[in-house]
Amino acid sequence: MIRRGLLNLVGSVAAQLSPTAGQQLACPAAEAAVLTSAHRVLAASICWGLQQPFASILGLHQQQQQLHTSVCSAAGSSQTPQHYVQIGRIGPAAGSRKTAIRWGRGNGSDRGTYCGRGIKGQKARKGGGKPHILFDGGQKQLKKYPKVWVTPSSPVLFRQVGLSKVLRWAQLGLLDTTQAITMKDLRDSGCVSKTIRWGVELVANGTERVEVPLHLQVSSASPAAQKLVQAAGGSVTRVYYTRLGLRALLKPEKFEEQGRALPQAVRAWPPRDNGKYDTIGQLPPATQLPQAALPVAAAALGSS
Amino acid sequence: MNITFILNFRSSPAPGKSGLVVQYPFPVEYYSPRRVTLYNLDKQQLAAVELPGDIFNVPVRGDIIHEVVRWQRAKARQGTHKTKGRSEVSGGGRKPWPQKGTGRARQGSNRAPQWRGGGIVHGPVPRSYAYALPKKVRRLGLKCALSAKANEGRLLLLDSLHPTSPKTKAIAAKLSHLLQEHPRLNALLVDSAKDGDDGGVMLRRAARNLPGVEILPSIGANVYSIVRKDVLVMTKPALDKLVERLRAPINRLGAAGLAYRAKLEARRQQAAVERRQQWLQQQQQQQQVASDAGGSS
């Protein structure tokens, strides 16, 4: 009896506010949902009362307004509508997160006690197992396998840049061709990655022809790239910088911050690097072009 | 139709296809501008404003919002947690009893993990939880959050949030009138700057003690704050700044790179000026030649 009374009250309130809402409540499913608790019924009626002015005052589009109201009343509860983005409702995309296996956390997980390693033996130990599958304890092997790839203990790896990319940058006007293009220019213009540990290497990378005269100062260049650039009237100078020198070249502001002067250029490169470099890199770099090249470069800048 | 949101349209998945886009019970015309009323602090309607569709009407990717919120909360973690391992626990240098002869298990230190009072194995260590979320994802998250608020009708645009006096009572009354439809008076107020004219110091002084109210400058608008609060109340200058920031290309070059680009631009303009001067000189010379010829003949 009390329930029916409440339902009537709710129905009358709903009918006053919006005829459609009252009709929607008449459906059995909605009735069942509403009649679970008296509190929810009352809260729902208050909610209906609020939803009406809410939609109009915030100036929603007419159609959206009507739909919004009808949706809220169909929900029939004091909870926010399902399509609201709330902190408690957002989650990762399905399949984007893989649960990690947690070994040794109870036998109910099938990964407890022995953690999939069985009982004792070399393979059950930390760091256990053979160096490789064909290892036979170190006796004289039937077959020897050559070391095909040996990583040096501290490799000198230049950051490679393709000649085609440099050309594209020059054509787009992102590189200053009136002066020598240093590794700092390549880095600042975004042509080369910002992380450069040892230097920059120029590679031809399938380029067949160069039309613009470019004057580059890089740590290393492939013979093909050098030939192509020189054929177009440019030059490739292989400059030597130490780690500290390279840092002074690429980030002079770091020295200024610390109140340090730029380091002097070294006097010579190590004898083992004879033939790999043309000149010692200057700090700050010497960017003036040879006299003959200036008019051509200026014309190129004017046309770009 | 401008170019920017055509490109955006091509790069986003078709709304709803992937199952990650929030589906609304009403039709949404993605990327089209949406009209919103501009109010003043007393909730009088001043004008109708169009919100740009490439920022306020994108398909709302719930998973992207989740990613950005997770990143924000992770990088806010202090990470100051530490336990002592067996080498750090005080004591434990001496072998408790001889290796053999006692009948007991062999033990090397009374601070080993198996001992009561011993060190902790692989315990927490102070660390940073920050990681670099791709900048494009961060930007898309902001657009999704703004679009979500606009779609839900929980975005309120004001001309100014500047109160007449720095009294909390006054601003509380104004805000409760603005947000009378919302049960919790939970709002994020966004003005253009901490010292701006449309909010600024006075707004902060007045409203900072109100529970459930967060005040941010336009540069501080972030996905977590926008999604957390029920209503987003933004001023028009703040909106303009935000739109400008979201439309500017993502800066990949850094200060040195921007300086280099500026230098190139200056040089190009210098070259243009020189060419113009040369052309003018040429014109003058030609005119002189013509007048001399005319004069002499």
Side-chain angles (χ1 to χ4, degrees):
Chain A
M1 265 219 350
I2 297 170
R3 276 186 181 175
R4 196 155 292 286
L6 278 170
L7 190 56
N8 285 338
L9 165 70
V10 153
S12 62
V13 166
Q16 278 168 25
L17 294 170
S18 130
T20 51
Q23 282 165 20
Q24 280 162 1
L25 184 59
C27 85
E31 258 188 33
V34 162
L35 285 176
T36 44
S37 79
H39 293 294
R40 217 198 278 175
V41 166
L42 287 173
S45 62
I46 293 165
C47 172
W48 287 324
L50 285 176
Q51 297 300 346
Q52 274 282 357
F54 150 77
S56 58
I57 287 171
L58 285 179
L60 277 179
H61 189 260
Q62 275 289 331
Q63 195 185 11
Q64 277 186 14
Q65 198 174 330
Q66 283 163 9
L67 282 166
H68 212 279
T69 325
S70 64
V71 157
C72 293
S73 18
S77 71
S78 62
Q79 293 164 356
T80 49
Q82 274 306 111
H83 60 266
Y84 275 24
V85 169
Q86 291 187 310
I87 288 286
R89 287 190 194 157
I90 54 176
S96 65
R97 299 229 184 271
K98 205 169 170 183
T99 329
I101 298 173
R102 298 186 76 230
W103 298 97
R105 294 292 186 272
N107 288 320
S109 69
D110 284 339
R111 295 188 183 102
T113 313
Y114 297 112
C115 304
R117 288 180 181 241
I119 296 177
K120 296 190 181 178
Q122 190 180 357
K123 296 207 297 192
R125 310 298 174 185
K126 173 185 163 190
K130 300 189 292 189
H132 56 86
I133 201 162
L134 294 174
F135 189 68
D136 56 357
Q139 70 174 0
K140 182 155 171 66
Q141 292 162 322
L142 284 174
K143 210 173 163 67
K144 266 177 129 176
Y145 295 95
K147 289 183 186 176
V148 292
W149 180 257
V150 179
T151 314
S153 52
S154 55
V156 172
L157 294 168
F158 295 130
R159 179 68 73 181
Q160 288 190 337
V161 66
L163 187 52
S164 55
K165 191 166 190 187
V166 177
L167 284 174
R168 199 171 355 124
W169 249 246
Q171 276 164 11
L172 290 172
L174 299 168
L175 275 178
D176 187 9
T177 45
T178 59
Q179 293 192 325
I181 299 167
T182 61
M183 293 189 269
K184 179 168 166 60
D185 295 336
L186 289 172
R187 180 179 183 264
D188 286 346
S189 64
C191 188
V192 167
S193 156
K194 277 182 154 183
T195 313
I196 301 173
R197 296 223 153 83
W198 297 93
V200 176
E201 180 172 26
L202 184 71
V203 289
N205 209 16
T207 315
E208 281 159 5
R209 211 180 53 193
V210 175
E211 276 146 22
V212 186
L214 296 171
H215 298 271
L216 297 157
Q217 289 179 4
V218 286
S219 302
S220 168
S222 69
Q226 279 181 330
K227 223 180 291 182
L228 285 166
V229 172
Q230 279 157 2
S235 69
V236 172
T237 318
R238 295 172 304 168
V239 287
Y240 175 72
Y241 284 103
T242 52
R243 296 292 306 273
L244 177 66
L246 190 69
R247 184 178 153 83
L249 170 73
L250 299 176
K251 303 177 197 173
E253 64 274 3
K254 295 279 187 183
F255 289 79
E256 213 179 288
E257 274 170 33
Q258 293 173 332
R260 291 161 65 179
L262 287 183
Q264 293 172 352
V266 284
R267 263 170 258 148
W269 51 73
R272 65 164 182 259
D273 291 336
N274 279 335
K276 289 187 189 171
Y277 300 103
D278 298 325
T279 56
I280 304 280
Q282 299 300 310
L283 290 162
T287 49
Q288 272 293 59
L289 291 180
Q291 283 299 107
L294 274 172
V296 185
L301 180 68
S303 61
S304 67
Chain B
M1 281 242 269
N2 62 15
I3 298 271
T4 33
F5 71 81
I6 291 174
L7 293 173
N8 284 339
F9 185 80
R10 250 191 268 131
S11 60
S12 308
K17 281 276 167 71
S18 58
L20 304 168
V21 174
V22 173
Q23 298 298 306
Y24 291 101
F26 42 81
V28 180
E29 209 184 293
Y30 290 113
Y31 304 109
S32 64
R34 55 183 352 140
R35 297 190 140 266
V36 136
T37 321
L38 181 73
Y39 295 95
N40 70 358
L41 205 49
D42 301 313
K43 210 161 189 185
Q44 292 160 348
Q45 298 191 16
L46 299 177
V49 171
E50 261 201 2
L51 296 178
D54 57 328
I55 291 168
F56 287 89
N57 207 352
V58 305
V60 178
R61 284 278 299 270
D63 62 319
I64 297 276
I65 292 181
H66 169 84
E67 292 277 339
V68 179
V69 170
R70 179 177 183 265
W71 165 74
Q72 278 190 256
R73 299 305 294 145
K75 71 187 183 70
R77 282 183 79 162
Q78 210 171 343
T80 49
H81 35 53
K82 178 86 172 69
T83 55
K84 287 177 163 31
R86 62 181 287 176
S87 62
E88 293 158 321
V89 174
S90 186
R94 183 177 60 204
K95 194 168 168 65
W97 46 77
Q99 180 81 356
K100 300 183 79 65
T102 56
R104 297 202 60 175
R106 49 194 179 183
Q107 302 291 342
S109 151
N110 63 354
R111 299 300 192 208
Q114 65 265 27
W115 282 71
R116 176 182 178 274
I120 299 292
V121 183
H122 299 313
V125 144
R127 59 177 166 127
S128 164
Y129 288 85
Y131 58 96
L133 188 69
K135 290 185 178 179
K136 288 185 183 177
V137 175
R138 299 181 212 176
R139 191 170 272 202
L140 181 59
L142 202 53
K143 290 182 187 176
C144 286
L146 293 167
S147 301
K149 277 284 179 295
N151 282 332
E152 296 156 10
R154 300 202 285 178
L155 177 73
L156 208 56
L157 197 62
L158 304 185
D159 65 332
S160 168
L161 273 166
H162 192 92
T164 42
S165 75
K167 296 298 270 178
T168 310
K169 210 170 176 178
I171 193 85
K174 293 248 166 82
L175 282 174
S176 62
H177 178 63
L178 270 173
L179 309 171
Q180 62 197 33
E181 302 87 23
H182 298 274
R184 281 178 298 195
L185 294 182
N186 215 334
L188 174 66
L189 311 181
V190 180
D191 63 353
S192 60
K194 269 192 185 169
D195 52 359
D197 293 326
D198 58 335
V201 176
M202 201 180 272
L203 172 67
R204 277 154 181 78
R205 212 186 303 160
R208 71 180 168 213
N209 205 27
L210 290 172
V213 168
E214 192 180 338
I215 307 165
L216 285 176
S218 165
I219 196 102
N222 64 90
V223 175
Y224 183 52
S225 301
I226 291 171
V227 172
R228 221 161 34 127
K229 296 293 179 191
D230 283 343
V231 186
L232 174 60
V233 182
M234 210 159 39
T235 62
K236 183 75 172 54
L239 176 84
D240 295 334
K241 270 194 175 177
L242 190 61
V243 168
E244 198 189 307
R245 184 158 68 92
L246 286 174
R247 283 189 173 157
I250 291 173
N251 177 22
R252 296 184 194 292
L253 299 175
L258 291 175
Y260 182 72
R261 197 175 267 190
K263 193 180 74 168
L264 277 180
E265 191 54 45
R267 199 161 282 177
R268 209 171 287 128
Q269 282 176 2
Q270 180 74 11
V273 162
E274 278 168 13
R275 261 181 287 137
R276 170 109 183 119
Q277 280 178 347
Q278 270 184 354
W279 182 83
L280 283 173
Q281 275 180 352
Q282 278 177 357
Q283 291 295 308
Q284 275 180 352
Q285 283 171 358
Q286 281 176 2
Q287 276 178 1
Q288 268 190 347
V289 164
S291 62
D292 286 345
S296 63
S297 68

